[in-house]
Amino acid sequence: MTVPAQPATIHHVGTGPGAHPDLATALAAAAEGDAVHLAPGVYRESVRIVRGVTLRALGDGQVGQGGQGERVRSVVLAAPVAGRPALEVAAGARVVIDGLVVEGAAADQPTVVLGGGRTEWSGGRIGTGRLEVHGDAALAMTGTVLGGAALAGVLLRTSGAVALTDCRLHGTDGTGLVAGGSTRVELLRTDVRDTAGSAIRVREDAAVVLRDCLIDGAGRSGLLVEDQGSALLTDSRIRACATDAVRVLGSSPAPDEGTTDSQTDSQEAGGGVRLHGCELSGSGADAVRAGGHGDVELAFCILRDSGGSGVSAGDDARIRVTGTRVVRTAAAAVVVHGSARLTGRETVIRASAANGVVATDHAVVDLDDSSLDECAFSPVHAGGSARVRLSGLRITGTPEHGAHLVADAQAVVENSRIADCGMSGVDVADSVRAELRDVSVLRTRNGVTATTRGRTRLHDCEIADSERAAAVLGPGDQEITGGRLLRAGTAGLVVESGAAPRVTGLEIRDAAGSGVVVAGGAEPRLSGVRVLRPGKNGLIVDSGGSGVFEECEIVAPGFPAVHLAGSAAPVLRRLRVQDADEDLSAEPDAAPVVEECVSVRVGSPQWPQAGGAPAPDRKTPLPAGAGHAAGHGSGSAGDDGAGEEPEESLDDLLGELGRLIGLRRVKQDVASLVKLMRMVHRREAAGLAAPPLSRHLVFAGNPGTGKTTVARLYGRILAAVGLLERGHLVEADRSSLVGEYVGHTGPKTQRVFQEAMGGVLFIDEAYSLAPAGAGGGNDFAQEAVATLVKLMEDHRDAVVVIVAGYPDEMEHFIDSNPGLASRFNRTLLFEDYDDAELVRIVEEHAASHQYELTEDAREALGVHFSRVPRDHRFGNGRSARQTFQAMTERQAYRVAEIEAPSEADLVTLTGPDVPEPAGAA
C-alpha cells in the first residue's frame, strides 16, 4: 500500500493571523519542500536557506493572503548591514524563488550568494552588490532584472549549470557577468546593457552560450574571453561597446609532465569563441579582436561601423570566417599579424576607411570566394613574412593598389577579379614571392607591377583597360605564362632595366602605345608572344637593351613592328610580322642578331616576305642603319605611349575651381596665388629676376573637405601657367614613403618623388611623419622627411609638394623639421561644409547618377545634416556621399514594394529616403 505524499506546508510572513514576523523565523519553521509566502513590504534581514523550500513574493500584482485580489506592493529583502548577503542558499536541494526583490547593503559585496543545490528564480530583481554562484550550485533564472545604480554584477564560479532566460542585466559598476572556474552558463533572450566594464567576461575553463541576446553600451568589451574559456553566440547582437565588441585572449593549457610534443600540439587551445548569425556594430575599437592562442569562428555575421578593425588577430590566434559581412570600419577591415592565421569563405568586406585585409609578420591568410569593395587603401596588403592565399576574390573600387605585396611576403592569387583601382591592380615589391593564376585585372592605372627581387609568376591572367602599362616587370625572377594583355593605355608589357623575365604564350592586343617595351639593361626572353594591333611599335628595345625574342608574331602595328634604339642588341628569332608599313626600324649603332624572321603584307620590309625572296642565312647581323632610325616609335620604357596631353585653358581651370561647392577662402587663396605666379612667369619671360616664391603648400582641414580635389586642380593650373611640365597628381601617405627596415625608406621616398616629377606630390595625413615624442625613437619616418626635404631642394622647379591633414597636427608636423618650416610657408585652410553645402553635394551626386530629389527630400537633408554630430567621424563631403548612397538603398527597398514602378518611381528620392543620422541626439 502506497502512502500518499504529505502536502507542502505554506508559511506566511507578514502581519496577518498566524504569520511569521520575519523571513528568518519562517525559514527556521519550514521543513523540506515547504513554501514561504511573503506579504508586501521591506524585510531588512540576512537569511540563509539550508533546505529545499519555495519563497514566493506576494507583491507586483500577486493576490494578498486575504484573497481580495487587490494589487499590492513589491516584496523587498534588504541586507541590514554591510558584510553579509541579504540572501544565501547553502542547501543541497531545490530552492524556488518567485518575484522577490533583493537589495544589498554595499556595492562591492555580495547581495545574493548561491553556494549549493539548485535554485529556480523567476521575476523580481537583484540590486546593489552582486550575485554570486559558486561551489556546485546551479541556477535557472527567468524574467529577472539584475540592475541598479550600485549593482556590481554577476560572479559565477560553479561546477553547476547557470541559465538566464528573458532576464535583463544592466547598469553595473564593473563587469556585468563574470564566469570562471568550470562554470557552464546559458543566456536566452537576455539583455546586458550599460555596464561600466565589460559586459561578459569568461575566464579559466568556463563556457558561456548566448542565444538571441543583446549586449549594449559596455564601458569596455562586450564579450571578453580569456584563458581556456569559451563562448557560443547565436542570433545575438553586440553594439556600442567602448572598446572591442568581442575580445579573445586565449592561452594554451599547460602540458602535463611527461606529455610528448605531438600530444602537446594536439591539445585544445583556449579562448574559443563561436558566433553564428550575430551582429556586432558601433564598437569603439575592433569588432572582434583575438590574441594569445585565441580561437574564433564567425559564421553569417555582420560586423559594421567599428571604430577600429572588423577582425584583428595577433599572436597565435586562429580565426575562421564564413558568410560574414564586414562593413564601414574606421581601420583596416581585417588585420592578421604575429603568427595568427585567418581562413575565410564567402565574406564581404566593404567601405573600409583603410585596407580591406592586412597580413604582416608571420601571419597566414586563406580567403576564398569573397569580395573586397570600396576600400580607401589597398584592399589586400601583405607585408613582413606573411603568407596569403586568395581564391575566387572580387576586388573593386580603391584609389590604391588592388593587392599590395611588400617585404618578404608570399602570395598566391587565383581565379580572382580585380577592377577599378587608382594604382596597380597587383603591386609586387621588395622580396615578395607571388603567384597569380587565372586572375583578371580591369580598369587600373597599371595592371600588374612586379618589381620584386623575389619571384613573380603569372599564369593565364588577363589584364584589360589599364590606364598605363598592363604589366611592368622589374629585376628579379619574373615569369609570365599564357594570358592576355588587352587595351593598355600605354604599353602592353614593360620590362624595366636590369630585368630578365621569361614570357611564354602571351597575347598582347590593342595597346595604345607599344606592345612590348624593353628598357636599357633589360634582357627578357619572350617566346610565342603575339602582339596584335598596337598603336605604336610591336616591340621596342631601348638603348642598351637586349634579350631573346623567338616564335613571336606582330600584327598590324601603328609604327614599325620592331624598333631598336642605339646599342640595342636583341636576338630576333623566327619573328613574323604581318600587315605593317615596316617590319623593322633601327638606329645606326643597333646590333641585333636576326634569325629566320619573315614578313607578310609589309610595305617596306627589311626581312624577306613570306613566299617571296629566299630566307637569309640562319644568323644575319642587321646592316648598320637598316630601317628608319628616327621618330617612328623611338622611345623608352618610361615614356612609351604617354602621348601629348591637350593643353588646358587657365580660365577653364579657374572656372572649374569656382564651380566647386563651398571652399570660399580656398578659392580666394588660389586665385591670389595664380595672379602671383602669372606675374612671376611674365618677369621670367622678360628676362627679369623672379621674386622668391614657394609653390609648396599646406592644406589644413578635416576629412572630406576637398583637399585632394583642389590639389589636383592646383597642379593643372600650374601647368597651364607654365610653372609645371605636366601638372599631374601623385598621391602618397606614410605607407608610400616609409619603409619597414633599414635602407628601405630612402628608395621608397625617391621612387614616389620621381613619379611626381613635373607635377604635384600630394601627401595626405602628413602629420603621421612627425616624430611621436622626444627623440623620435627608430621611426623611419624621420628619414622619409629628410629625404623629401633634400629632393625638394634638388628639384625645386620640377615638383610641387602639398602636405595635408588636420590643422593642429599639421602645425606640429611643419614645426618638427626646420627644412619643412622654410619650404612650407603658406597654408590653405579648408573649412567644414555647412548644412546647405552638404545638401548641394548630395544633389550633385544625385544628378550624376540620374536621380532627382523632391523638395521634401531637400528639406529632410537639411534637417539630417543639422543633426549629424560633427565629431571625429564626420567626413564632410564623404559623409554627404555616404548619405546619398544610403538614400539610394532606402529608395530601392521602398520601390521594391511597388508592383509596377514607373520611371519616376525609379529616379525620385523623397524625404522618407533620407536616413536618420547615426549618433544624433
Side-chain angles (χ1 to χ4, degrees):
M1 175 177 174
T2 302
V3 178
Q6 294 294 319
T9 301
I10 298 177
H11 303 265
H12 295 283
V13 179
T15 57
H20 296 282
D22 52 43
L23 178 57
T25 305
L27 289 173
E32 182 77 28
D34 283 356
V36 177
H37 289 187
L38 291 89
V42 177
Y43 299 85
R44 299 194 178 279
E45 304 180 57
S46 292
V47 297
R48 189 168 187 264
I49 301 176
V50 296
R51 62 181 66 87
V53 296
T54 297
L55 297 184
R56 179 162 287 115
L58 300 180
D60 289 335
Q62 298 289 333
V63 177
Q65 66 184 41
Q68 291 85 358
E70 72 278 10
R71 300 188 65 83
V72 293
R73 296 177 297 108
S74 298
V75 175
V76 180
L77 177 62
V81 294
R84 293 188 59 190
L87 175 63
E88 182 178 359
V89 175
R94 175 173 173 263
V95 174
V96 177
I97 300 174
D98 181 18
L100 187 64
V101 175
V102 183
E103 293 283 353
D108 60 345
Q109 296 182 10
T111 297
V112 175
V113 177
L114 308 180
R118 173 181 172 81
T119 300
E120 297 178 9
W121 192 312
S122 60
R125 180 173 63 83
I126 299 175
T128 308
R130 62 178 174 269
L131 165 64
E132 291 187 2
V133 183
H134 55 75
D136 62 352
L139 170 65
M141 181 174 280
T142 304
T144 302
V145 174
L146 300 99
L151 182 70
V154 177
L155 178 61
L156 308 174
R157 189 180 177 87
T158 174
S159 59
V162 176
L164 275 65
T165 302
D166 296 318
C167 294
R168 184 180 178 192
L169 171 60
H170 69 96
T172 61
D173 283 347
T175 302
L177 183 149
V178 179
S182 58
T183 304
R184 297 296 180 263
V185 187
E186 180 168 359
L187 278 66
L188 175 62
R189 296 186 301 276
T190 291
D191 293 354
V192 184
R193 297 174 179 260
D194 302 323
T195 57
S198 297
I200 297 176
R201 183 180 183 186
V202 186
R203 305 180 59 200
E204 299 165 330
D205 293 302
V208 173
V209 176
L210 282 77
R211 305 185 192 277
D212 194 17
C213 292
L214 170 66
I215 295 174
D216 188 9
R220 299 188 69 181
S221 299
L223 172 65
L224 173 61
V225 179
E226 301 171 290
D227 307 323
Q228 286 80 53
S230 64
L232 169 65
L233 286 73
T234 60
D235 302 318
S236 297
R237 292 171 294 156
I238 303 178
R239 64 192 187 194
C241 300
T243 60
D244 309 308
V246 174
R247 187 173 186 186
V248 185
L249 297 172
S251 60
S252 294
D256 296 330
E257 244 181 88
T259 303
T260 66
D261 289 341
S262 61
Q263 289 172 328
T264 301
D265 292 339
S266 67
Q267 284 182 323
E268 183 180 357
V273 175
R274 308 290 180 268
L275 294 94
H276 189 284
C278 297
E279 180 176 337
L280 281 56
S281 63
S283 57
D286 302 329
V288 176
R289 182 179 180 186
H293 291 268
D295 187 281
V296 179
E297 181 177 318
L298 300 166
F300 308 103
C301 296
I302 298 175
L303 282 55
R304 60 180 177 85
D305 300 312
S306 60
S309 297
V311 176
S312 177
D315 300 326
D316 293 298
R318 297 293 182 265
I319 295 188
R320 296 172 300 285
V321 184
T322 303
T324 291
R325 294 173 58 85
V326 185
V327 182
R328 293 189 299 274
T329 56
V334 175
V335 176
V336 190
H337 57 96
S339 298
R341 181 175 191 126
L342 180 140
T343 58
R345 296 186 61 85
E346 299 174 358
T347 292
V348 174
I349 294 172
R350 187 169 66 84
S352 164
N355 301 100
V357 174
V358 173
T360 59
D361 301 328
H362 300 284
V364 177
V365 172
D366 286 279
L367 196 58
D368 293 278
D369 302 322
S370 300
S371 66
L372 296 87
D373 302 325
E374 300 177 22
C375 297
F377 299 167
S378 296
V380 174
H381 178 92
S385 299
R387 289 182 291 138
V388 176
R389 190 191 66 83
L390 312 171
S391 179
L393 257 62
R394 184 176 68 87
I395 296 174
T396 185
T398 176
E400 295 195 352
H401 304 295
H404 193 201
L405 313 174
V406 299
D408 294 301
Q410 300 179 41
V412 175
V413 186
E414 56 188 1
N415 302 317
S416 297
R417 181 179 185 272
I418 301 172
D420 301 311
C421 303
M423 300 173 74
S424 298
V426 180
D427 184 71
V428 188
D430 301 330
S431 300
V432 169
R433 293 196 295 168
E435 184 169 353
L436 280 65
R437 294 193 294 262
D438 296 312
V439 175
S440 174
V441 180
L442 307 173
R443 298 183 299 277
T444 58
R445 181 186 294 178
N446 288 314
V448 174
T449 304
T451 58
T452 174
R453 298 184 299 273
R455 183 182 71 196
T456 306
R457 299 287 185 268
L458 274 69
H459 303 286
D460 297 319
C461 297
E462 180 172 291
I463 304 171
D465 301 312
S466 57
E467 179 184 337
R468 299 182 184 175
V472 179
L473 304 180
D477 183 6
Q478 326 289 7
E479 183 176 300
I480 298 179
T481 305
R484 302 193 301 170
L485 310 181
L486 308 178
R487 300 180 297 278
T490 57
L493 172 64
V494 173
V495 183
E496 294 186 333
S497 180
R502 299 172 300 283
V503 182
T504 306
L506 177 67
E507 181 177 302
I508 304 173
R509 184 187 300 174
D510 299 316
S514 296
V516 179
V517 177
V518 180
E523 298 181 78
R525 189 177 191 97
L526 273 64
S527 175
V529 174
R530 300 183 71 225
V531 181
L532 308 178
R533 299 181 298 277
K536 295 186 177 180
N537 307 104
L539 166 65
I540 178 172
V541 182
D542 209 350
S543 179
S546 60
V548 177
F549 306 85
E550 57 185 355
E551 305 290 352
C552 297
E553 182 178 14
I554 301 173
V555 178
F559 288 6
V562 177
H563 176 79
L564 307 178
S567 73
V571 174
L572 309 176
R573 181 179 295 139
R574 292 185 293 279
L575 264 61
R576 184 176 189 272
V577 175
Q578 178 178 318
D579 298 324
D581 290 337
E582 300 175 72
D583 49 16
L584 176 66
S585 72
E587 295 182 6
D589 54 348
V593 174
V594 180
E595 301 178 13
E596 301 179 7
C597 298
V598 299
S599 299
V600 178
R601 297 191 295 276
V602 173
S604 301
Q606 295 296 319
W607 302 329
Q609 294 274 30
D617 294 338
R618 181 165 180 78
K619 293 189 178 181
T620 307
L622 189 74
H628 296 263
H632 231 36
S634 63
S636 68
D639 60 12
D640 179 76
E644 291 292 331
E645 296 182 3
E647 291 188 3
E648 295 185 288
S649 162
L650 178 60
D651 290 339
D652 290 343
L653 291 171
L654 292 175
E656 186 175 340
L657 176 66
R659 287 190 295 274
L660 295 178
I661 294 171
L663 307 177
R664 180 180 58 82
R665 291 177 56 181
V666 170
K667 293 173 185 176
Q668 291 174 350
D669 290 342
V670 172
S672 299
L673 281 170
V674 169
K675 291 178 182 178
L676 180 59
M677 289 184 291
R678 294 180 80 171
M679 182 272 292
V680 169
H681 191 56
R682 287 169 182 164
R683 286 180 60 88
E684 289 176 338
L688 300 173
L693 171 66
S694 175
R695 296 175 294 175
H696 309 301
L697 298 175
V698 178
F699 281 8
N702 291 324
T705 48
K707 296 187 291 294
T708 307
T709 300
V710 174
R712 187 173 287 109
L713 266 172
Y714 184 63
R716 292 160 61 195
I717 288 171
L718 291 180
V721 172
L723 293 179
L724 280 180
E725 181 181 352
R726 292 177 58 194
H728 65 294
L729 183 78
V730 173
E731 297 182 54
D733 59 11
R734 179 188 171 94
S735 66
S736 309
L737 305 173
V738 179
E740 299 181 8
Y741 49 85
V742 174
H744 190 204
T745 295
K748 283 190 75 170
T749 303
Q750 291 171 7
R751 188 160 53 243
V752 173
F753 195 91
Q754 186 66 35
E755 188 177 353
M757 292 290 283
V760 173
L761 175 58
F762 180 78
I763 305 176
D764 199 10
E765 297 182 353
Y767 50 80
S768 63
L769 299 173
N778 294 320
D779 191 352
F780 297 137
Q782 296 180 68
E783 181 184 350
V785 171
T787 303
L788 186 65
V789 169
K790 184 178 186 304
L791 290 169
M792 291 169 67
E793 180 62 28
D794 293 345
H795 305 279
R796 65 181 69 183
D797 296 325
V799 175
V800 167
V801 179
I802 298 176
V803 291
Y806 295 104
D808 292 343
E809 285 84 346
M810 290 307 299
E811 185 175 347
H812 168 66
F813 169 64
I814 297 301
D815 291 342
S816 69
N817 185 296
L820 294 175
S822 64
R823 287 164 178 81
F824 293 97
N825 53 24
R826 186 183 296 269
T827 298
L828 271 60
L829 181 61
F830 287 70
E831 298 176 336
D832 288 345
Y833 292 110
D834 61 29
D835 298 343
E837 289 167 344
L838 292 169
V839 173
R840 287 176 57 199
I841 293 173
V842 173
E843 288 178 321
E844 284 199 352
H845 282 300
S848 65
H849 291 82
Q850 296 181 303
Y851 284 93
E852 297 177 0
L853 270 63
T854 62
E855 191 58 40
D856 69 313
R858 294 183 180 89
E859 293 176 0
L861 277 170
V863 174
H864 169 88
F865 287 123
S866 70
R867 297 173 57 200
V868 171
R870 303 297 173 100
D871 55 18
H872 67 282
R873 295 191 181 187
F874 179 63
N876 281 286
R878 198 171 305 133
S879 294
R881 175 177 57 80
Q882 292 168 349
T883 300
F884 167 68
Q885 291 175 342
M887 290 176 68
T888 61
E889 292 174 4
R890 292 165 66 95
Q891 185 250 22
Y893 296 142
R894 175 172 57 79
V895 173
E897 301 297 324
I898 303 174
E899 185 172 346
S902 65
E903 182 177 343
D905 292 327
L906 296 173
V907 302
T908 302
L909 298 174
T910 66
D913 297 327
V914 178
E916 286 292 324

